[in-house]
Amino acid sequence: MASALDDDEIDNDDYYSLLNVRREATQDELKAAYRRLCMLYHPDKHRDPELKRQAEQLFNLVHQAYEVLSDPQARAIYDIYGKRGLDVEGWEVVERKRTPAEIREEYERLQREREERRLQQRTNPKGTISVGVDATDLFDRYDEDFEETVGGGVPHVEINKMHISQSIEAPLTTTDTAILSGSLSTHNGNGGGNINLALRRVTSAKGWGELELGAGDTHGPLLGMKIFRNLTQRCFVTAQCGLQFSSRGVRPGVTTVLARHLDKNTMGYLQWRWGTQSSMNTSIVRDTKSSHFTLAMQLGIPYSFVMMSYQYKFQDEDQTKVKGSVKSGFFGTVIEYGAERKISRHSVLGATVSVGVPQGVSLKIKLNRASQTYFFPIHLTDQVLPSAIFYATVGPLVFYLAIQRLVIRPYVRAQKEQDLEKQRTSSASDIARKRQEAESAVLLMQESVRRIIEAEESRMGLIILNAWYGKFVTDNSKKHEKARVIDVTVPLQCLVKDSKLILTEATKSGLPGFYDPCVGEEKSLKVLYQFRGVMHQVLSGDVEALRIPKQSHRIDADT
């Protein structure tokens, strides 16, 4: 994988990679790596003025890396902040905290304070737009009713309902937050709206309370209160009560939820609701990395039902999910199935087909864009018709594949190219410096590499014949792309010791004699080597550990 890039600055000085040591390296391992590089880059070993100057620069860089990593306090700061943390912020922490554990504790506290200040500057807006479409005329109509009507042969599709809601959060203090929300709804020409103001206070690490005031022309004024409390580490409870004022009088309502962690991935819920729609509900929810399962049962007035749903999560870049559910109760039975997929960095598109008796067939399309949700329920027929089910299933799939191929993929590809170009531009001077350092390092390695090769040849040991680092084009569909690699044969041979080459889990662009030839793109290391007179070859990922020689790298005689 390509190394992660910071938006403001790209830091290619990975001290662990430079010394070729593990992040958990001991002092002895650090010292051994440092001594080896000092012998290679010591300025007194070179008589040529230019080589001496280049050796001095690299020697100072290696010395700086060793000084940081051999000092427990500086190393802790480097692990947390990176190289920039050593300049200002890190040393300020060291003056107050002496051990690495205390440095990390102080850093986490500062991070929490910065996060709190950042939250106070954000309103965290959330919104939903729902547009209901009545398309029953497409599948369920009497043709003879339209024979004498002008334009009667064209099915009539209309928008019969719409709902818009929006909310914003305004942190008042580190413990108090104001939440303002509102909504507008219309259905077949009749509509209304409401507005709500909630004040939430975090009372302790175990709970919070919320007071809600609302008004609207649909239900009238509302006064409510909600409390959340952690009872134990595995159990919590929420309680909510409210008074709804209307022309018919005051309608009180109470809802309580008791939840408990049954195991690492499973939650159990018990809910009791008293009011205009009283009910008791129990559910079990199991959420893992690859699936999500829910089983629920409700007894109430007017709705009682049993529901089971399952969702499978594919482990791919697009975070694809397929789901299905069955719900049966006094109102009938509903079966739903669908899928959702990430179509861009901040957007998720989903479609669900709902088939029920007596509800009929509906298609629900949902688009999540950042904190905004767009929902389009399309009612296709009041009856369970095979044609409606077929088109509701196949239609969105065909439409998505067409849009994916013609719009989404070109857009995402162009966006990635634009981001890569920005990264290359911002890091051009830094990469040029690293390239110069790598070329200088290769020149300084020549004499050492010559001696290493002579020693390895005398005992039929490890000889690096060719090594390349960068982006390789292995996909036939990308043959038009140009491979961007650099020759790292000399630097790798220089790392050989006692017929072994060991590279740690770190980006290889930081190794002596290496640099990044393709910023922001996936890189690999390809090595062709000889051991005991037999040819071997291996392809390793950028941050993968590599140990050679290995029997599995051997090239068969037939090959």
Side-chain angles (χ1 to χ4, degrees), residues 211-232:
L211 180 64
E212 182 180 8
L213 302 172
D217 57 1
T218 305
H219 301 292
L222 169 69
L223 175 63
M225 184 175 66
K226 186 175 182 179
I227 297 174
F228 170 87
R229 180 75 176 178
N230 278 313
L231 302 180
T232 66

Side-chain angles (χ1 to χ4, degrees), residues 6 192 220 249 268 361 425 539:
D6 190 279
V361 181
T425 302
L539 182 66

Side-chain angles (χ1 to χ4, degrees), residues 12 51 94 125 148 175 207 211 239 241 244 266 319 372 397 417 439 504 507 514:
N12 283 318
L51 288 178
V94 168
E148 298 179 357
T175 59
L211 180 64
C241 61
Q244 185 76 61
T266 308
Q319 301 176 11
Q372 299 294 316
L397 183 60
E417 288 295 330
E439 292 174 349
T504 60
T507 175
F514 284 63

Side-chain angles (χ1 to χ4, degrees), residues 12 38 69 135 146 258 261 264 296 335 356 446-447 486 538 546:
N12 283 318
C38 283
L69 299 185
F146 300 92
L258 177 65
H261 289 273
K264 180 181 179 182
I335 298 176
Q446 297 292 339
E447 182 61 28
I486 57 174
V538 61
L546 178 63

Side-chain angles (χ1 to χ4, degrees), residues 32 41 63 69 79 151 207 223 230 236 240 267 270 309 329 348 414 428 480 499 506 530 533 551:
Y41 294 140
H63 181 69
L69 299 185
D79 288 344
L223 175 63
N230 278 313
F236 68 85
Q240 183 176 1
M267 290 287 297
L270 287 173
S309 69
V348 177
H480 63 282
S499 298
Q530 181 176 298
Q551 184 70 23

